Amino acid sequence: MNESEIRRQLRDWIVSRAKEKPDEMVDETPILERGILSSLDVVELILFIERIKGDEVDMEKIQPEAIRDVNSIYQAFFGS
Amino acid sequence: MQTTEDIALKLTRASEKFFYDVATKITWPQTLDASDWTMSPELISLFGTEVWETLSDAQRKKLAFHEVAGFFSLILHGERPLLEGISHRMYLTEKNLNVLEYMHHFLDEENKHMMMFSGYLRRYVGKVYPEKKIAIARPMAKGEDDAAFFAKVLVVEELSDFYNIVMGQDERLPQVIREVNWTHHVDEARHIHFGRRYLSDIWNRSAATWTATEKETFRTWLVDYVNASWRDFYNPSVYRDAGIEDPHAARDEALSSAVCRAHRQKASQKFLENLVDSGILDEIPVLA
């Protein structure tokens, strides 16, 4: 799966989980700060990331800033 | 009606009476037969799903072995912030010396539980399943931090107790599994009694100053938290270790299965009823 497909899947998943659908969902949209996802959605997000990665995530290396928006998620979990 | 202090005094006496040394409490066998049931099959998270139906008896028992390890890991991770949060509040927000004396027993027993679960995982599994949580602060009403903390404590204790009671008495399981579950249950029965009352006190103190919206926000969060806690029971890493072909699809199926949903509702019922009786929830929610 290439980068743009991963980013699209992340955006789609986030919108599908949102309690209140955002007017706009781009890679810079702050997902927790805007209340699109709550802290209780984070585990599901991590599991979704593991699903598209096909591998488990090492949580020790992950900081809360990693899930600010799609850009930071991509960098933290899929970046080289 | 008994005061919280009366309850704490009574529970302290019980903790003193049932005090044990965790190093000698459990009889640990050299090895565990993982080809036999190590978890009550009806409690296995995939029980009642189509995936479950495709598994052979040997595959189900292999899943049981990893599932009970996932369950003990889950409790271990639940108890870690509990120890931290209770000790942080002692002598700071809680100053009643009799209540504090019970809190010391509470901490002592929780530490023993962690040693017990860790001891099991170290001897027979060789790992603890990691949790996938990231702590993120959210805006809270005055006093909501304490209410949310003690609500979280109760969720982990009440849900795990449902499993401990069943497995502690299930004669299909090895003695060591029954002992670990029953030892946890006996202590947790006291912790739950205390926790229900303590949360109710905090709610009565704090929520009295909250607006209707703030109360509703807390109630919504609490139901979401219970649902999220249940989802933690469905662990793709456990399924992967058990050799399930598509661990994420198996999880999806279990989360949406009517049988599994009915199990979650049933296992939560007493806990939810108590939250309604305390006025913390206004009605018993239908869980996801």
Side-chain angles (χ1 to χ4, degrees):
Chain A
M1 199 182 303
N2 63 29
E3 180 175 343
S4 63
E5 176 60 14
I6 291 170
R7 286 174 179 269
R8 185 191 64 74
Q9 287 211 18
L10 288 168
R11 286 194 302 272
D12 290 351
W13 186 88
I14 290 164
V15 171
S16 76
R17 295 283 304 190
K19 279 193 172 171
E20 287 180 31
K21 304 291 175 205
D23 296 334
E24 182 191 45
M25 181 67 211
V26 294
D27 289 3
E28 293 76 27
T29 306
I31 54 178
L32 295 169
E33 196 183 308
R34 293 242 181 112
I36 297 168
L37 295 185
S38 80
S39 60
L40 296 178
D41 295 310
V42 170
V43 173
E44 294 302 309
L45 174 62
I46 301 292
L47 291 178
F48 180 70
I49 290 165
E50 289 188 348
R51 189 177 204 151
I52 53 181
K53 267 174 84 85
D55 196 8
E56 292 196 35
V57 166
D58 183 355
M59 295 302 293
E60 280 179 30
K61 294 177 183 161
I62 304 300
Q63 297 299 315
E65 301 78 55
I67 44 176
R68 201 185 79 84
D69 56 25
V70 169
N71 276 335
S72 61
I73 293 170
Y74 185 84
Q75 287 305 324
F77 296 94
F78 299 92
S80 51
Chain B
M1 192 171 115
Q2 282 189 315
T3 64
T4 304
E5 186 176 20
D6 292 336
I7 292 171
L9 283 165
K10 195 173 125 197
L11 293 173
T12 294
R13 285 196 295 275
S15 281
E16 286 168 353
K17 185 178 170 188
F18 295 110
F19 186 86
Y20 59 88
D21 180 349
V22 69
T24 54
K25 176 72 175 170
I26 306 293
T27 309
W28 301 104
Q30 277 298 107
T31 56
L32 191 67
D33 184 3
S35 65
D36 213 340
W37 288 117
T38 45
M39 183 167 189
S40 309
E42 302 78 14
L43 295 183
I44 294 173
S45 61
L46 298 183
F47 182 82
T49 63
E50 286 180 21
V51 176
W52 176 261
E53 292 307 316
T54 66
L55 300 177
S56 66
D57 191 55
Q59 286 172 312
R60 289 175 178 180
K61 286 172 177 166
K62 186 178 179 187
L63 175 60
F65 176 77
H66 293 287
E67 185 101 343
V68 80
F71 172 60
F72 288 166
S73 300
L74 202 56
I75 307 178
L76 195 63
H77 289 301
E79 288 180 333
R80 194 168 41 80
L82 188 160
L83 280 166
E84 188 185 338
I86 297 272
S87 49
H88 174 71
R89 285 166 174 81
M90 287 171 74
Y91 303 98
L92 191 66
T93 55
E94 180 55 65
K95 292 177 181 141
N96 179 303
L97 290 171
N98 289 321
V99 174
L100 283 161
E101 187 183 16
Y102 181 63
M103 282 183 160
H104 279 291
H105 283 290
F106 194 110
L107 282 183
D108 169 54
E109 288 156 6
E110 290 299 350
N111 183 50
K112 287 173 179 169
H113 300 161
M114 289 185 74
M115 287 179 73
M116 194 169 65
F117 293 123
S118 174
Y120 176 92
L121 294 164
R122 185 181 70 249
R123 284 176 175 89
Y124 309 119
V125 189
K127 72 170 181 181
V128 175
Y129 283 97
E131 69 169 2
K132 303 283 162 79
K133 291 189 172 83
I134 297 177
I136 294 158
R138 62 183 174 91
M140 287 188 173
K142 189 168 183 287
E144 191 180 346
D145 183 36
D146 283 339
F149 170 74
F150 282 98
K152 285 179 182 178
V153 170
L154 262 188
V155 171
V156 65
E157 290 181 332
E158 301 247 18
L159 299 189
S160 63
D161 199 46
F162 181 89
Y163 285 69
N164 292 149
I165 290 171
V166 175
M167 286 198 276
Q169 302 175 93
D170 188 340
E171 295 192 351
R172 292 169 295 183
L173 308 182
Q175 181 68 20
V176 66
I177 303 266
R178 278 185 278 153
E179 272 183 29
V180 168
N181 277 287
W182 197 253
T183 301
H184 193 235
H185 160 66
V186 170
D187 290 345
E188 290 302 306
R190 294 192 296 278
H191 296 189
I192 289 170
H193 186 45
F194 178 76
R196 284 179 176 177
R197 178 55 176 268
Y198 207 77
L199 176 61
S200 175
D201 286 351
I202 291 171
W203 172 261
N204 290 334
R205 261 197 323 268
S206 302
T209 67
W210 294 354
T211 64
T213 307
E214 285 170 335
K215 281 185 196 168
E216 197 47 42
T217 302
F218 181 80
R219 287 176 170 144
T220 303
W221 168 83
L222 181 53
V223 175
D224 285 348
Y225 186 80
V226 174
N227 281 322
S229 299
W230 269 118
R231 287 196 296 270
D232 291 341
F233 279 73
Y234 301 80
N235 188 339
S237 304
V238 164
Y239 304 154
R240 191 175 294 109
D241 287 349
I244 304 286
E245 201 175 338
D246 187 340
H248 290 280
R251 182 175 190 265
D252 289 346
E253 195 209 328
L255 285 172
S256 61
S257 146
V259 175
C260 299
R261 283 184 78 165
H263 164 75
R264 296 194 289 272
Q265 191 74 37
K266 182 184 160 201
S268 314
Q269 194 64 16
K270 268 170 64 180
F271 167 52
L272 296 173
E273 281 172 4
N274 184 265
L275 290 173
V276 173
D277 291 346
S278 310
I280 297 168
L281 291 182
D282 45 12
E283 58 181 358
I284 293 180
V286 176
L287 298 178

